[in-house]
Amino acid sequence: MFLRILGIDPGLATVGFSIVDCENNKMKLVTCGVISTPAHTSLSSRLDRIYEDMNELISSFGPDVMSVEELFFNTNITTGISVAHARGVILLSAYRAGVQVFEYTPLQVKQAVVGYGRAEKNQVIDMVRRILALPAVPKPDDAADAVALAICHARSSTSLLSNKGANDICSTI
């Protein structure tokens, strides 16, 4: 079965994205990069830029599913709220395009990519390079995180858990 996965690492200043093709448990990185929004512009303007760029990504690459990171509030709630706004626009873009959404926690991503939920960021990025047999790690880190999210879904989609909510356009595993 062929599956094209759009991996998204949400943010307001920088949104990491990746397109990973998966067929017969073999994964191939198609592209990755970031959507950047200019600092010192209005929140509405930044959200509009993210929405338009997400629509362009979905239109250009035609993903079957989107794998997006769930929000994790650490210490800075203000940053978390800004990311939540951006994440809402990202989810809306996928929903309107009919792309099924799967959400993963950072712990689930680390577990799926490294095999250890408490792995460090550099371990995850190095495993992304190894799993996809890339000559170098994807840059910047936001793009590498988006690739890890796509790999997480590719590995999780073969699980029986992926059948939960299979008819829903938006699902959380």
Side-chain angles (χ1 to χ4, degrees):
M1 180 177 116
F2 177 81
L3 185 66
R4 176 160 278 183
I5 305 164
L6 170 60
I8 295 291
D9 180 35
L12 182 62
T14 306
V15 175
F17 70 85
S18 69
I19 299 289
V20 172
D21 287 345
C22 183
E23 188 168 19
N24 300 326
N25 292 326
K26 292 183 179 140
M27 291 176 262
K28 178 185 173 202
L29 178 64
V30 176
T31 191
C32 68
V34 294
I35 297 169
S36 299
T37 63
H40 309 296
T41 57
S42 71
L43 174 62
S44 298
S45 173
R46 294 174 98 174
L47 294 175
D48 182 62
R49 171 87 179 254
I50 292 168
Y51 183 73
E52 290 299 323
D53 286 355
M54 284 297 303
N55 289 341
E56 180 65 28
L57 274 172
I58 291 169
S59 173
S60 296
F61 292 99
D64 299 302
V65 297
M66 182 170 78
S67 175
V68 64
E69 187 173 74
E70 285 187 4
L71 282 185
F72 174 73
F73 290 97
N74 198 3
T75 54
N76 190 342
I77 190 115
T78 304
T79 301
I81 291 171
S82 295
V83 173
H85 288 305
R87 193 170 177 280
V89 166
I90 290 163
L91 295 175
L92 176 63
S93 179
Y95 176 78
R96 289 218 169 146
V99 176
Q100 190 173 14
V101 176
F102 294 87
E103 302 172 67
Y104 297 95
T105 65
L107 187 110
Q108 287 171 312
V109 174
K110 291 174 182 180
Q111 181 69 40
V113 174
V114 179
Y116 175 60
R118 302 284 182 215
E120 294 186 23
K121 188 173 195 73
N122 62 340
Q123 291 174 300
V124 175
I125 292 172
D126 186 56
M127 282 304 294
V128 163
R129 182 189 61 77
R130 290 172 184 236
I131 290 166
L132 297 174
L134 302 173
V137 298
K139 295 285 184 186
D141 285 354
D142 299 291
D145 291 345
V147 177
L149 278 148
I151 291 170
C152 174
H153 182 72
R155 290 186 160 181
S156 299
S157 66
T158 58
S159 165
L160 291 176
L161 291 174
S162 66
N163 292 329
K164 177 186 168 222
N167 295 328
D168 297 338
I169 195 86
C170 291
S171 300
T172 301
I173 290 183

